[in-house]
Amino acid sequence: MLSTSSKYAIKAVLFLALHSNENHKMMVKDIFQRINVPQQYLAKILQELSKKDIISSARGPKGGFYLSDTNKTLPLINIVDVIEGRHRLQSCMLSIKECDSQNPCALHDLVGNANSYFLKNLEETTIEKLIEDIRDGKAILPL
Amino acid sequence: MLSTSSKYAIKAVLFLALHSNENHKMMVKDIFQRINVPQQYLAKILQELSKKDIISSARGPKGGFYLSDTNKTLPLINIVDVIEGRHRLQSCMLSIKECDSQNPCALHDLVGNANSYFLKNLEETTIEKLIEDIRDGKAILPL
DNA sequence: TCCGAAATGTGACATTTATCATATTATCCC
DNA sequence: GGGATAATATGATAAATGTCACATTTCGGA
């Protein structure tokens, strides 16, 4: 439903949201073990996110990746849009283009409104909001 | 959520359920266009399903693939078990092993009970049942 | 102003998944 | 029994995804 890359990206962004800010940037080598993602792969992912302004970065000494306040207001869907696009999230379980509730495929009812529910949440939930819930104990964050 | 192979397999099985029986077997070359699956790829998939007794087959003239009455009583999950196993259906959106409702990952609530609902339906819905619904007009079958 | 720290850019390599091609084996029918 | 037919077996190729390595650029600090 999400590619490995997207999962890694989300984990990394949430980690940065919790542990970094403009005055406390974090380097790849201090992140990768903590979220269990291969170092070089993580580097590539963070660079893509940075280029698309999902996260922020600074080069040189004292540099690293971090989330600005603006970054934190973005919805989660932006992360997966940058990493893999949205095709994997489309709802039809048999990948039939014309499939919808008016013209459902054979499996349509078996999956229910699962995908659209998930997609809607990705669109509506901001990083900020998710982190707040975690801080408030409303959500847990095993990474 | 399902691999392309599984989707092809499900389409093919449903097609066979509707159009074949012990006295009317069907050849790959008469199926693949109708369900829009590459011929050789479909052949390979049908062979795997046949070897695992999800579908039936006969060689030589008048041979082909078909679904026996016994085959039709199998739940849909058997198809995906044979083709790709069950890992892709596991519920955690971040692929975290320890993730469950007691110890939910950050995205757990965003996906809700979607996957478990889908999995349950795959386990409980037999090919037979699905075909009946289609025949009764309760479900539609664009392949 | 130079050294080293860190992201960035580029591309090679590995793995998985999807697709195609071809030779082999079993079965029916004459 | 021999020829045509259709599944079966094996493996080659292609494409997408995931992983690694290294050279380059930018920037801070002594």
Side-chain angles (χ1 to χ4, degrees):
Chain A
M1 201 150 172
L2 291 178
S3 69
T4 311
S5 297
S6 292
K7 292 173 185 174
Y8 287 173
I10 291 173
K11 284 170 133 192
V13 170
L14 293 180
F15 184 85
L16 285 175
L18 281 171
H19 297 103
S20 79
N21 59 55
E22 188 145 11
N23 300 315
H24 182 67
K25 299 160 188 140
M26 296 200 70
M27 297 181 294
V28 177
K29 69 169 181 228
D30 293 327
I31 304 173
F32 82 97
Q33 317 95 322
R34 309 209 22 211
I35 61 175
N36 195 32
V37 172
Q39 181 167 8
Q40 302 299 330
Y41 195 8
L42 176 61
K44 188 167 275 189
I45 288 172
L46 290 179
Q47 286 161 206
E48 287 177 53
L49 292 173
S50 169
K51 183 163 23 171
K52 298 289 178 50
D53 294 317
I54 308 291
I55 67 177
S56 305
S57 65
R59 293 181 171 192
K62 299 291 264 176
F65 294 98
Y66 64 101
L67 261 65
S68 69
D69 288 347
T70 309
N71 292 147
K72 290 181 186 166
T73 67
L74 298 176
L76 294 171
I77 189 69
N78 285 30
I79 300 170
V80 357
D81 275 344
V82 161
I83 301 297
E84 61 168 323
R86 207 171 290 208
H87 45 282
R88 220 182 273 243
L89 293 168
Q90 247 67 59
S91 59
C92 178
M93 207 42 57
L94 293 177
S95 304
I96 293 166
K97 290 180 215 59
E98 316 81 36
C99 173
D100 58 31
S101 52
Q102 304 306 312
N103 189 44
C105 79
L107 298 193
H108 198 84
D109 288 343
L110 301 195
V111 62
N113 53 8
N115 297 53
S116 50
Y117 178 73
F118 181 53
L119 180 58
K120 181 159 153 288
N121 275 333
L122 285 181
E123 286 168 346
E124 291 177 355
T125 308
T126 64
I127 296 163
E128 202 166 42
K129 168 77 165 41
L130 196 53
I131 296 303
E132 271 170 32
D133 285 353
I134 292 167
R135 288 223 171 91
D136 293 353
K138 288 187 209 158
I140 304 186
L141 182 69
L143 287 183
Chain B
M1 201 150 171
L2 290 179
S3 69
T4 311
S5 297
S6 291
K7 292 174 185 174
Y8 288 172
I10 291 173
K11 285 169 132 192
V13 169
L14 292 180
F15 184 85
L16 285 175
L18 281 171
H19 296 104
S20 79
N21 58 56
E22 187 145 11
N23 301 314
H24 182 68
K25 298 158 189 142
M26 296 200 71
M27 295 181 295
V28 175
K29 69 169 181 228
D30 294 327
I31 304 175
F32 81 96
Q33 316 97 323
R34 314 219 6 220
I35 61 174
N36 195 32
V37 172
Q39 182 167 8
Q40 302 300 329
Y41 196 9
L42 176 60
K44 189 167 275 191
I45 288 172
L46 290 179
Q47 286 161 206
E48 288 178 52
L49 292 172
S50 169
K51 186 166 16 174
K52 297 288 177 52
D53 294 317
I54 308 292
I55 67 176
S56 305
S57 66
R59 293 182 171 190
K62 299 290 266 176
F65 294 97
Y66 65 99
L67 261 65
S68 69
D69 289 346
T70 310
N71 293 148
K72 290 181 186 165
T73 66
L74 299 176
L76 294 171
I77 189 69
N78 285 30
I79 300 170
V80 358
D81 275 344
V82 162
I83 301 298
E84 61 169 324
R86 206 171 289 209
H87 45 283
R88 220 183 275 243
L89 293 168
Q90 246 69 60
S91 58
C92 178
M93 208 41 58
L94 293 177
S95 304
I96 294 165
K97 290 179 214 58
E98 316 79 38
C99 172
D100 58 30
S101 54
Q102 304 306 313
N103 188 45
C105 79
L107 298 193
H108 198 84
D109 288 343
L110 301 194
V111 62
N113 53 8
N115 297 53
S116 50
Y117 178 74
F118 181 53
L119 180 59
K120 182 159 152 289
N121 275 332
L122 285 180
E123 286 168 345
E124 291 177 355
T125 307
T126 64
I127 296 163
E128 204 166 39
K129 168 75 165 45
L130 196 53
I131 296 304
E132 272 170 31
D133 285 353
I134 292 167
R135 288 222 170 93
D136 294 352
K138 288 188 209 157
I140 304 186
L141 182 69
L143 289 182

